[in-house]
PDB file of all heavy atoms in Angstrom:
ATOM      1  N   THR B 340       3.754  -0.944 -21.202  1.00 95.00           N
ATOM      2  CA  THR B 340       4.210   0.404 -21.547  1.00 95.00           C
ATOM      3  C   THR B 340       4.385   1.231 -20.288  1.00 95.00           C
ATOM      4  O   THR B 340       3.421   1.480 -19.555  1.00 95.00           O
ATOM      5  CB  THR B 340       3.209   1.094 -22.486  1.00 95.00           C
ATOM      6  OG1 THR B 340       3.147   0.353 -23.720  1.00 95.00           O
ATOM      7  CG2 THR B 340       3.615   2.528 -22.769  1.00 95.00           C
ATOM      8  N   ALA B 341       5.619   1.655 -20.022  1.00 95.00           N
ATOM      9  CA  ALA B 341       5.925   2.414 -18.813  1.00 95.00           C
ATOM     10  C   ALA B 341       7.391   2.821 -18.858  1.00 95.00           C
ATOM     11  O   ALA B 341       8.156   2.395 -19.726  1.00 95.00           O
ATOM     12  CB  ALA B 341       5.661   1.582 -17.550  1.00 95.00           C
ATOM     13  N   PHE B 342       7.759   3.642 -17.887  1.00 95.00           N
ATOM     14  CA  PHE B 342       9.151   4.042 -17.685  1.00 95.00           C
ATOM     15  C   PHE B 342       9.689   3.173 -16.561  1.00 95.00           C
ATOM     16  O   PHE B 342       9.099   3.115 -15.482  1.00 95.00           O
ATOM     17  CB  PHE B 342       9.180   5.535 -17.320  1.00 95.00           C
ATOM     18  CG  PHE B 342      10.541   6.144 -17.285  1.00 95.00           C
ATOM     19  CD1 PHE B 342      11.389   6.091 -18.372  1.00 95.00           C
ATOM     20  CD2 PHE B 342      10.973   6.825 -16.158  1.00 95.00           C
ATOM     21  CE1 PHE B 342      12.641   6.681 -18.348  1.00 95.00           C
ATOM     22  CE2 PHE B 342      12.226   7.442 -16.122  1.00 95.00           C
ATOM     23  CZ  PHE B 342      13.060   7.360 -17.215  1.00 95.00           C
ATOM     24  N   TYR B 343      10.788   2.466 -16.808  1.00 97.00           N
ATOM     25  CA  TYR B 343      11.326   1.530 -15.829  1.00 97.00           C
ATOM     26  C   TYR B 343      12.620   2.087 -15.253  1.00 97.00           C
ATOM     27  O   TYR B 343      13.540   2.459 -15.994  1.00 97.00           O
ATOM     28  CB  TYR B 343      11.586   0.166 -16.477  1.00 97.00           C
ATOM     29  CG  TYR B 343      10.311  -0.552 -16.836  1.00 97.00           C
ATOM     30  CD1 TYR B 343       9.665  -0.295 -18.038  1.00 97.00           C
ATOM     31  CD2 TYR B 343       9.731  -1.461 -15.955  1.00 97.00           C
ATOM     32  CE1 TYR B 343       8.488  -0.946 -18.370  1.00 97.00           C
ATOM     33  CE2 TYR B 343       8.554  -2.113 -16.270  1.00 97.00           C
ATOM     34  CZ  TYR B 343       7.934  -1.847 -17.478  1.00 97.00           C
ATOM     35  OH  TYR B 343       6.759  -2.475 -17.795  1.00 97.00           O
ATOM     36  N   LEU B 344      12.687   2.106 -13.944  1.00 97.00           N
ATOM     37  CA  LEU B 344      13.851   2.630 -13.244  1.00 97.00           C
ATOM     38  C   LEU B 344      14.505   1.550 -12.405  1.00 97.00           C
ATOM     39  O   LEU B 344      13.832   0.828 -11.657  1.00 97.00           O
ATOM     40  CB  LEU B 344      13.445   3.790 -12.326  1.00 97.00           C
ATOM     41  CG  LEU B 344      13.171   5.121 -13.013  1.00 97.00           C
ATOM     42  CD1 LEU B 344      12.366   6.025 -12.105  1.00 97.00           C
ATOM     43  CD2 LEU B 344      14.470   5.784 -13.428  1.00 97.00           C
ATOM     44  N   CYS B 345      15.809   1.458 -12.514  1.00 97.00           N
ATOM     45  CA  CYS B 345      16.605   0.556 -11.691  1.00 97.00           C
ATOM     46  C   CYS B 345      17.330   1.407 -10.646  1.00 97.00           C
ATOM     47  O   CYS B 345      17.685   2.568 -10.908  1.00 97.00           O
ATOM     48  CB  CYS B 345      17.608  -0.173 -12.571  1.00 97.00           C
ATOM     49  SG  CYS B 345      18.677  -1.328 -11.705  1.00 97.00           S
ATOM     50  N   ALA B 346      17.511   0.858  -9.456  1.00 95.00           N
ATOM     51  CA  ALA B 346      18.186   1.587  -8.394  1.00 95.00           C
ATOM     52  C   ALA B 346      19.059   0.634  -7.588  1.00 95.00           C
ATOM     53  O   ALA B 346      18.855  -0.588  -7.615  1.00 95.00           O
ATOM     54  CB  ALA B 346      17.179   2.281  -7.479  1.00 95.00           C
ATOM     55  N   SER B 347      20.017   1.193  -6.882  1.00 93.00           N
ATOM     56  CA  SER B 347      20.847   0.383  -6.003  1.00 93.00           C
ATOM     57  C   SER B 347      21.105   1.151  -4.715  1.00 93.00           C
ATOM     58  O   SER B 347      20.953   2.383  -4.664  1.00 93.00           O
ATOM     59  CB  SER B 347      22.177   0.015  -6.678  1.00 93.00           C
ATOM     60  OG  SER B 347      22.977   1.174  -6.865  1.00 93.00           O
ATOM     61  N   SER B 348      21.485   0.422  -3.685  1.00 89.00           N
ATOM     62  CA  SER B 348      21.894   1.057  -2.437  1.00 89.00           C
ATOM     63  C   SER B 348      23.044   0.259  -1.851  1.00 89.00           C
ATOM     64  O   SER B 348      23.177  -0.938  -2.110  1.00 89.00           O
ATOM     65  CB  SER B 348      20.730   1.168  -1.454  1.00 89.00           C
ATOM     66  OG  SER B 348      20.314  -0.090  -0.995  1.00 89.00           O
ATOM     67  N   PRO B 349      23.875   0.922  -1.019  1.00 85.00           N
ATOM     68  CA  PRO B 349      25.143   0.338  -0.607  1.00 85.00           C
ATOM     69  C   PRO B 349      25.078  -1.004   0.109  1.00 85.00           C
ATOM     70  O   PRO B 349      25.549  -2.017  -0.407  1.00 85.00           O
ATOM     71  CB  PRO B 349      25.733   1.425   0.294  1.00 85.00           C
ATOM     72  CG  PRO B 349      25.142   2.687  -0.189  1.00 85.00           C
ATOM     73  CD  PRO B 349      23.741   2.311  -0.593  1.00 85.00           C
ATOM     74  N   GLY B 350      24.512  -1.001   1.325  1.00 70.00           N
ATOM     75  CA  GLY B 350      24.607  -2.220   2.119  1.00 70.00           C
ATOM     76  C   GLY B 350      23.307  -2.950   2.269  1.00 70.00           C
ATOM     77  O   GLY B 350      23.183  -3.847   3.085  1.00 70.00           O
ATOM     78  N   GLY B 351      22.300  -2.521   1.504  1.00 57.00           N
ATOM     79  CA  GLY B 351      21.013  -3.183   1.627  1.00 57.00           C
ATOM     80  C   GLY B 351      20.210  -2.697   2.806  1.00 57.00           C
ATOM     81  O   GLY B 351      19.149  -3.228   3.096  1.00 57.00           O
ATOM     82  N   GLN B 352      20.708  -1.668   3.481  1.00 61.00           N
ATOM     83  CA  GLN B 352      19.946  -1.105   4.586  1.00 61.00           C
ATOM     84  C   GLN B 352      19.039  -0.009   4.049  1.00 61.00           C
ATOM     85  O   GLN B 352      19.449   0.811   3.247  1.00 61.00           O
ATOM     86  CB  GLN B 352      20.897  -0.487   5.631  1.00 61.00           C
ATOM     87  CG  GLN B 352      21.861  -1.487   6.233  1.00 61.00           C
ATOM     88  CD  GLN B 352      21.138  -2.578   6.986  1.00 61.00           C
ATOM     89  OE1 GLN B 352      20.211  -2.331   7.742  1.00 61.00           O
ATOM     90  NE2 GLN B 352      21.552  -3.813   6.758  1.00 61.00           N
ATOM     91  N   VAL B 353      17.802   0.030   4.492  1.00 56.00           N
ATOM     92  CA  VAL B 353      16.876   0.995   3.900  1.00 56.00           C
ATOM     93  C   VAL B 353      17.041   2.386   4.471  1.00 56.00           C
ATOM     94  O   VAL B 353      16.293   3.287   4.136  1.00 56.00           O
ATOM     95  CB  VAL B 353      15.422   0.517   4.040  1.00 56.00           C
ATOM     96  CG1 VAL B 353      15.185  -0.642   3.111  1.00 56.00           C
ATOM     97  CG2 VAL B 353      15.101   0.188   5.466  1.00 56.00           C
ATOM     98  N   ASN B 354      18.010   2.590   5.375  1.00 68.00           N
ATOM     99  CA  ASN B 354      18.299   3.957   5.789  1.00 68.00           C
ATOM    100  C   ASN B 354      19.436   4.545   4.963  1.00 68.00           C
ATOM    101  O   ASN B 354      20.054   5.522   5.343  1.00 68.00           O
ATOM    102  CB  ASN B 354      18.624   4.019   7.277  1.00 68.00           C
ATOM    103  CG  ASN B 354      19.794   3.129   7.635  1.00 68.00           C
ATOM    104  OD1 ASN B 354      20.336   2.439   6.782  1.00 68.00           O
ATOM    105  ND2 ASN B 354      20.176   3.151   8.885  1.00 68.00           N
ATOM    106  N   GLU B 355      19.713   3.904   3.827  1.00 80.00           N
ATOM    107  CA  GLU B 355      20.704   4.432   2.899  1.00 80.00           C
ATOM    108  C   GLU B 355      20.005   4.849   1.621  1.00 80.00           C
ATOM    109  O   GLU B 355      19.052   4.222   1.193  1.00 80.00           O
ATOM    110  CB  GLU B 355      21.756   3.358   2.598  1.00 80.00           C
ATOM    111  CG  GLU B 355      22.570   2.985   3.817  1.00 80.00           C
ATOM    112  CD  GLU B 355      23.420   1.761   3.583  1.00 80.00           C
ATOM    113  OE1 GLU B 355      22.904   0.778   3.036  1.00 80.00           O
ATOM    114  OE2 GLU B 355      24.602   1.791   3.965  1.00 80.00           O
TER     115      GLU B 355
END
Side-chain angles (χ1 to χ4, degrees):
Chain B
T340 297
F342 189 56
Y343 290 85
L344 284 162
C345 180
S347 67
S348 67
Q352 300 298 316
V353 288
N354 58 358
E355 295 169 314

